[in-house]
Structures are given as structure tokens and as C-alpha cells.
Amino acid sequence: AQSVTQLDSQVPVFEEAPVELRCNYSSSVSVYLFWYVQYPNQGLQLLLKYLSGSTLVKGINGFEAEFNKSQTSFHLRKPSVHISDTAEYFCAVTLNSGGYQKVTFGTGTKLQVIP
Amino acid sequence: NAGVTQTPKFRVLKTGQSMTLLCAQDMNHEYMYWYRQDPGMGLRLIHYSVGEGTTAKGEVPDGYNVSRLKKQNFLLGLESAAPSQTSVYFCASSYSLRTGIPTNEKLFFGSGTQLSVL
């Protein structure tokens, strides 16, 4: 079975400060890793994904994430946040299960950017 | 440019009432999903469909039924609503995936339906 843990339910950060949102996963097989962002009253949008290759993945809006296999982590980072980054962020792992895409989401981290 | 469209956006039901949520996608996706989102619990899969005419249970299927009569539509039904079904419901779709092909396709989400059961 696979699971995803997002330890921080809320992360307040001042504008232009750096931020790291943590994600740890557990799986007995290789998985693919995603970060989704949900802006208020909207559905989820893909931020970035890791499939293979370079462990540092760059996404939209200046976000990046690093895959660390030994620590089973996929933390999301941004060097300088903007007010518009205020949203909820979901880490997800996905694997091929019986021919369909089995996706497991974390419980989400609300990023609050303070002016 | 519609993507995934959910209707309605908001609904209030009384306990025991029934209703159907409609999800429509115009991207010719094979796979469609229904999730519910609850505070502190992330998104949980209710039911999914791997193609027209097929459906399967997800993590939390009890109290819900689904149908996929047309490829572009995926309906979620509540036969007898309960307060525990108060939630935000999201529909999603993705490209066809077959065993052996890397599972790297992203999900496309609708904007959600906020359902309150009193």
C-alpha cells in the first residue's frame, strides 16, 4: 500500500521569504510523485511532477521539488513567495494498479503568505 | 477550452433526499474519477471509471453510485443523503493508461461541488 504524509497542515510565511512544504511517502514499489495546488474555490492544478531522471524538478510559478529516494521525500520549495502563492498544496503519489492510475493524495498544506 | 465541468456548484439537501452530480469533460479522456475533499483528510477516491460503460469502487464508495453511459460524462448519485456526505466533491479525468505504460499522466480537475446535507 502507498501513503503520503504532509506533516504541516498550515504554513504561514512572510512575502518574499523562502518556503518549504514537506512531503514524505511510503510505497513498496516505484511511484511517480506530483504536487498539485488548489487556489480558493477552484479545483486542483498540477504544479510539477517527478517521473525519473534528475531529482530536482522545476514547476510553474517558480516552485521546485527535490526527490530524495533514501529519505522517501519530495519536498516543495520556493525561494521567494508572493501573495498570489496563498493556496493549499497537495502532494500525491501515483502508481499503475491493475491498469489504472491509482493516485493517493496527502492531506494538504495551506500556505498563507503574509504581506 | 472547457476542460472538466461540474454541475451544480452548490447544493443543500435534507437528510434522505437524493441527487445527482454531473461531470463532463471535452478532452476525450478515458479515465474519470470522483473524489471528496474533507478538512484534514485530503482527497479520497469515491468511484472511478476506466472507460464508457465501466465503473469501479474507490476508497470510500458507500452511499454513492456512479454511471458512465457516455465517454464524456460521469455521474455521481446519492440515493439517500446523510450529513456525513457533507463535503466538497471533485471530478477529475485523465488520459488512457494501460498496464506497462508509465503512470505519468496528470489529473484534470473540475472546480468542485459544495454539498451540504442537513
Side-chain angles (χ1 to χ4, degrees), chain A residues 32 34 36 38 41-44 46 49 51 88 90 94-96 98-101 103 105-107, chain B residues 31 33 35 37 40 42-43 48 50 90 97-107 109-111:
Chain A
Y32 302 99
F34 297 71
Y36 285 85
Q38 184 181 29
N41 301 314
Q42 294 185 27
L44 279 70
L46 182 68
K49 62 183 179 182
L51 307 177
E88 190 160 16
F90 291 90
T94 178
L95 57 80
N96 199 339
Y100 93 98
Q101 182 176 324
V103 184
F105 287 91
T107 52
Chain B
Y31 290 20
Y33 314 79
Y35 288 90
Q37 182 181 25
L43 278 78
Y48 65 97
V50 300
F90 286 98
L97 296 167
R98 290 184 291 277
T99 301
I101 296 177
T103 312
N104 59 8
E105 293 298 339
K106 68 177 183 180
L107 298 177
F109 283 87
S111 56

Side-chain angles (χ1 to χ4, degrees), chain B residues 8-65:
Chain B
K9 294 189 182 303
F10 303 94
R11 187 72 186 269
V12 179
L13 292 178
K14 294 181 180 178
T15 297
Q17 286 186 316
S18 63
M19 77 161 294
T20 300
L21 307 183
L22 172 63
C23 176
Q25 53 93 5
D26 60 2
M27 297 172 282
N28 202 34
H29 286 170
E30 289 288 341
Y31 290 20
M32 297 186 75
Y33 314 79
W34 275 107
Y35 288 90
R36 60 176 289 173
Q37 182 181 25
D38 301 290
M41 304 188 77
L43 278 78
R44 293 180 292 170
L45 183 64
I46 304 171
H47 286 280
Y48 65 97
S49 168
V50 300
E52 182 179 323
T54 69
T55 63
K57 295 180 180 179
E59 304 170 60
V60 289
D62 294 341
Y64 305 95
N65 57 74

